[in-house]
Amino acid sequence: APPEQNETYELGAKWDFLRNHLNVSGSVFRTQKDNARETDPNNSANTLTAGTYIVRGAQIGVLGHLPENFDLVLGYAALDGYLDHSVLNASPFNAANVALIALHDPRANTAPVTM
C-alpha cells in the first residue's frame, strides 16, 4: 500500500500592541492527507487505504502581559475537516451491499454512500 502523505499550507501574522503588553497572532491553514488509512469495515483487525482527508482552519491567539507577572492567554481555533474522496463504502448498509455483490444483484453499490 502506498504511504500516507501530508501537505500543509499556512499563512500567519503576529502583532504587538501597547509596548508589547498585548500580543495578537492569527493564521489560516489547509492540510491534505492522501492515502489515509481507515479500519476495514469487514475486518476491524485490518486497515485499508481509504482516500483523501482535508482539514481547513483558522486560529487566533491573544497574550496579555498584566501587572505583577500575570499573563492572560486566550486562543481559538476553528477546523473544518472532511473526507474528500474515499474508495470505501462508508454506508451503514455495507454488509447488505457486500451480500448484493456476492449475489450479482443489480442493486449492489446503489445504497446510500458517504464519500
Side-chain angles (χ1 to χ4, degrees):
E4 289 183 336
Q5 294 181 335
N6 293 311
E7 186 173 78
T8 300
Y9 298 98
E10 182 173 10
L11 178 64
K14 179 180 177 182
W15 302 271
D16 294 322
F17 300 101
L18 305 173
R19 289 189 261 164
N20 284 332
H21 284 88
L22 178 65
N23 309 113
V24 178
S25 63
S27 68
V28 293
F29 54 90
R30 179 186 188 276
T31 299
Q32 178 172 323
K33 178 181 287 225
D34 294 322
N35 304 318
R37 304 282 192 263
E38 288 184 357
T39 302
D40 184 340
N42 298 312
N43 181 353
S44 62
N46 292 332
T47 58
L48 302 172
T49 302
T52 301
Y53 288 113
I54 295 177
V55 176
R56 294 180 184 147
Q59 71 86 25
I60 188 167
V62 178
L63 171 61
H65 301 287
L66 303 175
E68 300 189 29
N69 296 320
F70 284 101
D71 288 339
L72 177 64
V73 180
L74 302 170
Y76 179 78
L79 303 173
D80 178 27
Y82 60 92
L83 180 60
D84 181 54
H85 171 73
S86 176
V87 296
L88 296 179
N89 179 351
S91 167
F93 305 106
N94 190 51
N97 192 53
V98 169
L100 292 174
I101 291 170
L103 296 170
H104 305 288
D105 191 300
R107 294 174 293 173
N109 293 320
T110 60
V113 176
T114 302
M115 291 211 174

